[in-house]
Amino acid sequence: MSIDALAKNKKSWDEVAPRFFGRNPLPEYGPLAPREDELNLLGDVADAKVLDIGCGSGHSLQYMDKRGAAELWGVDLSKTQIETAKGLLADSNAPVHLFESPMEQNPGLPEEYFDIVYSIYALGWTTDLDKTLANVAKYLKKGGLFIFSWEHPLHSRASFENGALHFNKSYHEEGPYDHEAWHAPAIMQQYKVSTYLNTLISHGFCIERVIEEVSLTEQDRERHANRWYSCEKAMMLPTTLIVKSRKM
């Protein structure tokens, strides 16, 4: 686990958090990706104890509250995000427990306790994928669900120019890289699809579903015009990887 990367990412997210208030939360899994309404990966969450890894502004936990979850737990590296989530969830029906912490560390979460752990467009920020998924396995009850979404590993490897894809980096290359999408310096991680799946398997998860489809409705096209996740590029390459797994 890189302490330097965690410190840099924490500072970066504390600065940019307002830009991502309510950005692509459940029932969305990511930009130009199918929604939970269509996929039904979570099933009935009524009375479930749920944990959000990288909970951000708290909107996905708010969605879980509206669907009847029994307990709402969240972890996020950013103090700004946690304070925002506390405000958003102040009037929730279910009790709320939020922790300002890296996902690579257990800040005091109970083990073998949760029915559902999920992470919506946050897992790629981990500095140690193996440690993070080991933690998820410890948090979950036997038979519990872990669902995550993240930018598809192919998406950032290619650019779309003049109607064609141009690969800028080898898909096989993994590890940290400088994130340049905003001015505050940050470190992200690049992994292959197989690395995500095999790491889950190594920690006792059974992979139930892998989704790479895109959603290109008129609403999606309007929302993502002239943005990083363009519809034109999505017609040739998936934007989002969604994985549903279960602790055996």
Side-chain angles (χ1 to χ4, degrees), residues 176-241:
Y177 68 95
D178 292 329
H179 178 50
E180 301 174 352
W182 54 67
H183 296 298
I187 304 295
M188 293 183 74
Q189 304 290 324
Q190 183 72 42
Y191 298 108
K192 298 181 291 186
V193 172
S194 59
T195 298
Y196 285 111
L197 301 184
N198 289 330
T199 307
L200 282 168
I201 291 168
S202 73
H203 289 293
F205 286 93
C206 173
I207 310 299
E208 293 193 351
R209 195 167 174 191
V210 178
I211 296 154
E212 300 176 292
E213 283 73 24
V214 297
S215 177
L216 298 174
T217 65
E218 190 59 37
Q219 183 182 25
D220 291 322
R221 291 174 181 273
E222 291 177 1
R223 289 178 59 197
H224 293 277
N226 301 316
R227 291 177 60 178
W228 172 248
Y229 299 102
S230 72
C231 292
E232 291 76 17
K233 185 177 179 181
M235 291 175 68
M236 303 181 72
L237 203 65
T239 61
T240 301
L241 172 68

Side-chain angles (χ1 to χ4, degrees), residues 13 30 45 72 75 90 158 170-171 207 211 213 248:
W13 269 106
V45 306
L72 309 174
V75 175
S170 169
Y171 176 71
I207 310 299
I211 296 154
E213 283 73 24
M248 302 306 290

Side-chain angles (χ1 to χ4, degrees), residues 62-83:
Q62 185 181 61
Y63 170 80
M64 287 293 201
D65 185 56
K66 291 178 179 178
R67 292 190 60 188
E71 297 180 17
L72 309 174
W73 297 66
V75 175
D76 200 279
L77 179 65
S78 166
K79 178 180 179 64
T80 305
Q81 293 282 51
I82 289 295
E83 291 303 317

Side-chain angles (χ1 to χ4, degrees), residues 123-147:
L123 192 62
W125 285 99
T126 181
T127 61
D128 189 328
L129 181 65
D130 185 74
K131 179 61 177 175
T132 295
L133 294 184
N135 287 340
V136 171
K138 291 176 183 176
Y139 300 147
L140 275 169
K141 297 177 180 177
K142 184 176 181 180
L145 289 178
F146 175 52
I147 297 170

Side-chain angles (χ1 to χ4, degrees), residues 153-167:
L154 280 172
H155 191 271
S156 64
R157 300 301 176 116
S159 58
F160 182 76
E161 302 170 12
N162 301 318
L165 288 175
H166 301 270
F167 277 83

